[in-house]
Amino acid sequence: MESKRQQKFAGVIQEDLAAIFQREGMNLLPNTMITITKVRVTPDLAIARVFLSFFNNTNNQLALNTIKAHASEIRYKLGARIKDQVRIIPQLEFFVDDTSDYVERMDKIFDKISKEERQPDSE
């Protein structure tokens, strides 16, 4: 369970990273829209786990590796934005948020189930 402080800090990081990716994202990944779906922060606020979703991209793992390769540059830009609000700039860990893939897979399963013939209930 995250504290209010962690949630508030995660919200600040999410907003500022979103602005950074909106402005700088095309330089890192051309023709790809990067969305920050969730940010989780450790209790000491030293590590921020950032979950990303990539749109208009075929290889999510390659995109994630590109983001990870530029993590220090992204952290520097984040630090420039939030330096007056925090004591330390958290280390950034990036992950792919596969929630949309999971939802799509579940939708296909439910569609398959609904198309199957119903067996009469035997009592």
Side-chain angles (χ1 to χ4, degrees), residues 22-35:
Q22 187 176 18
R23 196 169 290 129
E24 311 279 333
M26 288 307 232
N27 297 336
L28 299 174
L29 296 168
N31 301 322
T32 301
M33 188 173 90
I34 306 167
T35 304

Side-chain angles (χ1 to χ4, degrees), residues 103 105-115:
V103 168
R105 193 169 53 239
M106 293 304 291
D107 282 344
K108 287 179 183 177
I109 291 171
F110 288 135
D111 286 344
K112 184 179 175 185
I113 291 171
S114 68
K115 289 178 183 176

Side-chain angles (χ1 to χ4, degrees), residues 1-110:
M1 182 74 184
E2 287 186 328
S3 68
K4 292 278 187 197
R5 183 174 177 228
Q6 285 172 280
Q7 291 173 354
K8 185 176 179 182
F9 189 57
V12 168
I13 290 173
Q14 185 170 358
E15 280 183 37
D16 288 326
L17 280 178
I20 290 168
F21 281 130
Q22 187 176 18
R23 196 169 290 129
E24 311 279 333
M26 288 307 232
N27 297 336
L28 299 174
L29 296 168
N31 301 322
T32 301
M33 188 173 90
I34 306 167
T35 304
I36 301 169
T37 56
K38 188 177 3 178
V39 175
R40 296 273 187 237
V41 181
T42 57
D44 63 354
L45 307 180
I47 299 172
R49 293 180 176 91
V50 182
F51 293 86
L52 304 172
S53 182
F54 302 101
F55 296 100
N56 199 20
N57 187 18
T58 55
N59 190 345
N60 286 346
Q61 197 58 44
L62 180 64
L64 180 65
N65 290 340
T66 303
I67 297 297
K68 284 182 178 181
H70 291 89
S72 60
E73 177 185 337
I74 295 167
R75 181 175 183 242
Y76 176 80
K77 290 177 182 179
L78 175 67
R81 293 178 71 97
I82 65 172
K83 67 179 185 246
D84 297 331
Q85 301 171 20
V86 297
R87 273 188 247 154
I88 61 167
I89 308 303
Q91 290 291 327
L92 301 175
E93 296 178 355
F94 295 102
F95 301 94
V96 172
D97 184 15
D98 59 352
T99 305
S100 60
D101 296 335
Y102 178 76
V103 168
E104 190 175 306
R105 193 169 53 239
M106 293 304 291
D107 282 344
K108 287 179 183 177
I109 291 171
F110 288 135

